[in-house]
Amino acid sequence: PAGSMAPFREEFPDHFINVGVAEQSMIGICAGLALRGCTAFAYTIATFTVYRPFEHIRDDLCYQNLPVTLVGVGAGVSYSLLGGTHHAQEDIAVMGALPNMAIIAPCDPLETEAATWACASHQGPAYLRLGKAGEPDLTSGAVDPFKLGKLRVLKGGSDVCIISYGPIMNMAFEVAEKVYQEQGISPAVVSAHTLKPLDGEGIARLMQRFDSLVVIEEHSQQGGLAAQIKEIGWESQARCKLHTFSLKDDFIHLFGSQNDLWRAHGISVE
């Protein structure tokens, strides 16, 4: 990750601090900067952004509701070859339990740019959950604009609704195309880029509008989007069919690509 920060470090040397592998200190420094009126971004691999300095995030940032953005790169099982220590598969559940913490998980470069600006103006702590690199453009033709805390229709459809977020959104588009070509079904594709505060009213409306709802996410079935949608479905007395595809509540010991890990967790286009 440090390599990708090189251009920023060279252009803004007075606005860049490399703390090395002292992630707890990084959070404390960002809290201090925020208390002095600065807008701070703390950036590293997602597992080390979230888990190692958790107490500091809770007490330094959330307890004081400070405008600091935690940037976690390589979320989910993006770092597939580095094993479970580098897999952030339960980070939304962990961060979502913290009062005042917002969670944004964009699906492509354009949505990431919009989410970064939203985080910069957000009055409180936020977790910006990113993939790794090379994600394709999925949102340049989106039906709806990006708005923090609101669902975003990326592709219109009438028969089925697929909800996703983050880089696995590409699979949602692949699934949509496959069922259209093979079955003539017209799926809508929706980005739930803001996991907290989640657009509960928007989800309830989708559950009323569509007969079938599909959730695809690169996060544990515990405390992720699917779990929250099930709760909203119960509370709104939804009658639609709900099909959810999440990572298993398990450490899967497999050496392979991100797609290999997804498949081992039971997630594939098929």
Side-chain angles (χ1 to χ4, degrees), residues 70-109:
L70 308 170
V71 184
V73 68
V77 293
S78 300
Y79 283 98
S80 57
L81 298 175
L82 298 183
T85 57
H86 285 60
H87 296 170
Q89 60 189 54
E90 61 285 279
D91 51 334
I92 291 169
V94 171
M95 288 291 98
L98 291 173
N100 293 326
M101 179 63 74
I103 304 172
I104 305 97
C107 69
D108 73 347

Side-chain angles (χ1 to χ4, degrees), residues 152-167:
R152 183 186 191 192
V153 176
L154 302 184
K155 178 182 176 295
S158 55
D159 299 321
V160 133
C161 181
I162 304 173
I163 305 179
S164 188
Y165 60 91

